[in-house]
Amino acid sequence: QVELVESGGGSVQAGGSLRLSCVASGYAFNMACMVWFRQAPGKEREAVAGIDSDTSESYTDSVKDRFTISKDNAKNTLYLQMDNLKPEDTAIYYCAAELVAFCRGGFARGANAMDYWGKGTQVTVSS
């Protein structure tokens, strides 16, 4: 049974930092595209950052140079380091997995390509 569990969300002031974690179980963690998504109230879910099997990283333009995605295969854990947070980063953040033998380009394929989702963690940034 595949499970993705996010943690690390919270409330911070603008300019602050948070690190989100996503612990995966039930599949071979290194055989998947891993992507962080977010959804703000009244907005569509958007891909924020993705990491491929060769650890290539992809980001949406609004978070480049502020967010960093990483993973620890030994701990089956995906991370999202978020620095210099802005009020517009306020959203529920989800991790998602597309199970593939070798991931390339998962971020670009978007939400429809993802096989499994976590339940999300709330991030609130106040001005």
Side-chain angles (χ1 to χ4, degrees):
Q1 179 181 354
V2 174
E3 189 173 26
L4 301 172
V5 180
E6 304 97 334
S7 63
S11 297
V12 297
Q13 290 191 327
S17 297
L18 286 172
R19 188 173 85 152
L20 306 184
S21 298
C22 172
V23 178
S25 60
Y27 69 98
F29 184 68
N30 62 338
M31 295 178 68
C33 293
M34 299 300 298
V35 182
W36 285 101
F37 291 81
R38 68 185 179 187
Q39 188 166 20
K43 295 187 177 181
E44 293 187 355
R45 188 171 297 189
E46 66 168 340
V48 176
I51 188 165
D52 289 352
S53 293
D54 63 357
T55 69
S56 297
E57 302 166 23
S58 300
Y59 300 93
T60 192
D61 287 346
S62 63
V63 308
K64 284 180 180 177
D65 300 323
R66 299 190 298 120
F67 290 11
T68 304
I69 189 172
S70 63
K71 62 179 180 175
D72 186 333
N73 289 335
K75 295 182 178 180
N76 288 356
T77 302
L78 178 72
Y79 301 100
L80 185 67
Q81 177 67 41
M82 306 186 295
D83 298 318
N84 191 21
L85 282 159
K86 302 177 179 181
E88 51 263 42
D89 295 319
T90 295
I92 299 174
Y93 284 71
Y94 302 88
C95 71
E98 177 192 6
L99 274 57
V100 293
F102 187 87
C103 170
R104 184 177 289 112
F107 176 85
R109 288 193 288 277
N112 289 339
M114 298 296 112
D115 297 308
Y116 297 97
W117 294 82
K119 294 182 178 180
T121 185
Q122 176 70 48
V123 171
T124 303
V125 185
S126 58
S127 58

